[in-house]
C-alpha cells in the first residue's frame, strides 16, 4: 500500500464512518451485548473486540490500523503516552533475572525505567557498538533495545546488521523510530521485532496530544495488548486517537517541509565558527550518512549541535538570546524548539549518554528557514565574542 493513501484514506471509507470526512470519535467507555455468551467471547479477545475503553475503541482502532500499515507490521497498540508504550513493551519481554542490552544513547526516561526494573531483578548494560555487544551479552540477555538515529547524539545504527546479530543470539529487538517516523524509515522490514513511537512528536504534529504506539507481529503485540496494556492502564483516549488520525493526513507534507528546513539550518550551523559539531544524519559530513542513505528515505528536522564552550552559563545565555526558537522540551510540532540537556537532564543520565555540556538540541519547525537561521546567527554572535 502507498504511504500517502494509508495516511489519508485507509479505513476511512468503511460503513461505520457513515461518509463523514472526519471519522467519528467514539466517546463511550462501555459497549453492550445482546447475550451473556457474546460478552464472554468478546472479553477473551478484548484487544480486538470493543468491550471497555481500557481495551480498545473504534477510533483508537483506526489509528492503530493506519500505524501498523505504515510500519508494515501486523498489529499496533496505541498508548496514552510514549513511555506507556515503551514501559509496557519492555515489561512484556523480560522477567526477573533477565538482562537487557541497550545499544547507543536512548531516551532518558527509557534509561530511568530500566533502572526502575532493577528492583524486580531485571538488569541492563549500555553499549556503544556491536563489538561491545559481543563482550556484554550474557546467558540471561533477552532483549536488545536501541534508537536510530540515537538520542541527542543522532548516531546511525546499521539496523539490518544489528538485528542479524540479535537473531543469531536469540534476542528480541525493540527500536524507537520516533525520529524518522514510518515515512522515512521502516525498521520492521530490516529485521526489528517491535517498533515504538512517541505519537506526541511528528505523527501528531501539532503539540496538542501525548501518545505512544508499539508495532510488530501479532505474536508479540497481542500478548502485550492483553496483559501489560490492560494492567498498566495507559490507554489512549479516542479524542487523542482522532488527533493522531488528523496528524497522519498531513504527515507526508509536513515531513517534506521539516526535512527541507532542517537541512538548511543544519548546513548553516555546520559552517559557523561558534559550533564544534552538527549531529544531523542528513549532512554528508555525518559519520553515519552513508548508512542513513541506505536504510532511510528522508530526514526529520531534529538534531543537535555542540557549541564551542564548556560553560553552562554561556549555553544558557545562547538559549535566552533566541527569539524565534522557543525554549522547551518535546519536538515535532509547527513551532521551532531548543533545549540544552546539560541544563535539564539528570546528571547521571547525561553522563551515561556521554552528552557534553555544550550540546544543544534543535527542533526545526515549519517557520521559514531564513528566519530561523538569522535567529541562530544573532544568538551565536555573543557566544563567539
Amino acid at each position: 500500500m502507498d504511504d500517502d493513501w494509508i495516511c489519508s484514506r485507509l479505513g476511512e471509507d468503511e460503513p461505520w464512518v457513515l461518509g463523514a470526512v472526519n471519522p467519528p470519535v467514539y466517546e463511550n467507555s462501555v459497549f453492550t451485548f445482546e447475550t451473556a455468551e457474546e460478552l464472554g467471547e468478546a472479553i477473551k479477545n478484548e484487544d480486538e473486540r470493543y468491550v471497555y475503553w481500557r481495551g480498545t475503541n473504534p477510533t483508537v482502532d483506526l489509528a492503530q490500523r493506519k500505524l501498523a500499515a505504515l510500519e508494515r507490521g501486523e498489529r499496533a497498540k496505541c498508548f496514552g503516552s510514549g513511555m506507556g508504550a515503551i514501559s509496557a513493551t519492555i515489561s512484556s519481554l523480560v522477567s526477573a533475572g533477565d538482562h537487557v542490552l541497550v545499544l547507543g544513547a536512548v531516551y532518558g526516561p527509557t534509561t530511568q525505567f530500566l533502572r526502575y526494573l532493577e528492583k524486580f531483578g531485571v538488569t541492563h548494560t549500555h553499549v556503544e557498538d556491536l563489538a561491545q555487544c559481543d563482550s556484554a551479552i550474557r546467558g540471561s540477555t533477552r532483549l536488545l533495545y536501541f534508537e536510530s538515529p540515537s538520542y541527542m547524539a543522532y548516531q546511525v545504527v546499521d539496523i539490518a546488521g544489528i538485528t542479524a546479530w540479535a537473531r543469531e543470539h536469540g534476542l528480541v529487538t525493540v527500536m524507537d523510530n520516533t525520529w524518522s517516523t514510518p515515512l522515512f524509515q521502516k525498521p520492521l522490514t530490516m529485521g526489528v521485532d517491535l517498533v515504538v513511537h512517541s505519537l506526541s512528536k511528528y505523527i501528531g504534529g501539532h503539540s496538542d496530544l501525548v501518545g505512544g504506539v508499539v508495532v510488530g507481529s501479532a505474536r508479540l503485540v497481542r500478548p502485550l495488548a492483553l496483559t501489560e496494556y490492560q494492567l498498566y492502564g495507559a490507554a489512549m483516549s479516542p479524542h487523542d486517537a482522532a488527533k493522531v488520525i488528523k496528524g497522519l493526513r498531513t504527515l507526508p507534507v509536513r515531513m517534506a517541509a521539516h526535512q527541507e528546513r532542517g537541512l538548511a539550518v543544519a548546513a548553516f550551523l555546520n559552517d559557523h565558527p561558534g559550533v564544534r559539531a552538527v549531529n544531523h544524519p542528513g549532512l554528508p559530513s555525518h559519520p553515519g550518512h552513508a548508512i542513513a542513505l541506505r536504510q532511510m528515505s528522508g530526514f526529520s528536522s531534529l538534531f543537535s549541535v555542540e557549541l564551542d564552550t564548556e560553560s553552562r552559563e554561556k549555553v544558557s545565555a545562547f538559549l535566552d538570546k533566541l527569539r524565534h526558537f522557543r525554549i522547551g522540551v518535546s519536538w515535532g510540532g509547527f513551532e521551532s524548539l531548543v533545549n540544552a540537556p546539560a541544563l535539564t537532564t539528570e546528571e547521571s543520565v547525561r553522563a551515561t549518554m556521554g552528552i557534553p555540556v555544550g550540546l544543544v538540541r534543535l527542533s526545526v519547525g515549519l517557520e521559514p528557514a531564513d528566519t530561523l537561521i538569522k535567529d541562530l546567527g544573532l544568538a551565536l554572535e555573543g557566544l563567539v565574542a
Side-chain angles (χ1 to χ4, degrees), residues 39-375:
L39 170 61
E41 289 301 313
I43 288 176
K44 294 177 184 177
N45 297 285
E46 198 169 350
D47 63 318
E48 296 179 336
R49 298 288 302 276
Y50 307 132
V51 178
Y52 184 64
W53 182 336
R54 187 161 54 88
T56 192
N57 167 287
T59 312
V60 177
D61 190 46
L62 177 56
Q64 292 173 165
R65 290 167 56 196
K66 286 177 176 285
L67 292 165
L70 281 175
E71 280 285 7
R72 306 300 189 260
E74 292 178 345
R75 295 285 298 276
K77 196 63 184 174
C78 285
F79 289 75
S81 69
M83 275 310 299
I86 291 169
S87 59
T89 299
I90 293 174
S91 297
S92 73
L93 299 170
V94 297
S95 301
D98 286 346
H99 174 250
V100 178
L101 274 180
V102 183
L103 176 63
V106 298
Y107 181 45
T110 302
T111 299
Q112 291 174 320
F113 178 71
L114 288 167
R115 289 176 177 173
Y116 174 79
L117 287 181
E118 290 175 359
K119 73 177 186 178
F120 300 107
V122 176
T123 58
H124 68 280
T125 303
H126 282 271
V127 294
E128 295 183 4
D129 53 32
L130 191 54
Q132 289 188 2
C133 286
D134 280 323
S135 59
I137 191 170
R138 307 174 185 173
S140 59
T141 306
R142 298 288 177 266
L143 169 64
L144 175 66
Y145 188 99
F146 66 104
E147 300 181 15
S148 185
S150 65
Y151 180 66
M152 290 294 177
Y154 305 105
Q155 297 173 337
V156 177
V157 172
D158 180 350
I159 297 174
I162 196 64
T163 56
W165 178 90
R167 282 195 301 274
E168 289 176 5
H169 292 81
L171 307 185
V172 177
T173 49
V174 177
M175 178 181 153
D176 187 327
N177 194 35
T178 306
W179 191 92
S180 297
T181 80
L183 295 185
F184 287 163
Q185 186 167 251
K186 300 186 187 299
L188 296 178
T189 66
M190 292 177 268
V192 171
D193 293 306
L194 290 171
V195 170
V196 292
H197 285 270
S198 167
L199 300 176
S200 320
K201 311 304 192 284
Y202 289 118
I203 290 176
H206 297 87
S207 301
D208 60 355
L209 76 95
V210 173
V213 68
V214 56
V215 188
S217 66
R219 177 181 65 85
L220 292 175
V221 175
R222 188 169 190 269
L224 184 161
L226 289 170
T227 305
E228 283 78 15
Y229 182 88
Q230 292 274 9
L231 295 178
Y232 287 7
M236 170 168 278
S237 77
H239 277 284
D240 281 340
K243 290 178 180 178
V244 170
I245 292 166
K246 289 183 179 180
L248 287 172
R249 288 179 170 183
T250 61
L251 184 63
V253 177
R254 287 187 290 105
M255 292 311 297
H258 278 298
Q259 176 174 236
E260 177 186 7
R261 288 157 173 77
L263 285 171
V265 172
F268 163 75
L269 292 169
N270 203 40
D271 293 331
H272 198 283
V275 176
R276 291 178 184 169
V278 178
N279 303 313
H280 191 310
L283 294 178
S285 58
H286 189 281
H289 183 66
I291 298 175
L293 290 178
R294 186 170 72 239
Q295 62 191 25
M296 300 166 67
S297 59
F299 302 96
S300 75
S301 61
L302 182 75
F303 62 97
S304 64
V305 300
E306 187 177 343
L307 302 179
D308 190 18
T309 182
E310 303 296 334
S311 166
R312 284 179 170 80
E313 291 72 22
K314 286 189 176 182
V315 173
S316 182
F318 168 75
L319 266 61
D320 292 346
K321 288 178 181 177
L322 292 167
R323 291 294 173 264
H324 290 281
F325 278 88
R326 303 183 189 185
I327 301 172
V329 299
S330 198
W331 41 274
F334 170 87
E335 65 287 343
S336 293
L337 295 170
V338 63
N339 184 20
L343 307 178
T344 60
T345 303
E346 179 186 332
E347 185 66 24
S348 61
V349 174
R350 188 178 70 80
T352 299
M353 297 296 104
I355 298 172
V357 171
L359 194 81
V360 171
R361 187 182 73 181
L362 301 172
S363 172
V364 176
L366 297 177
E367 305 95 335
D370 289 347
T371 300
L372 300 175
I373 288 170
K374 182 178 179 180
D375 192 30

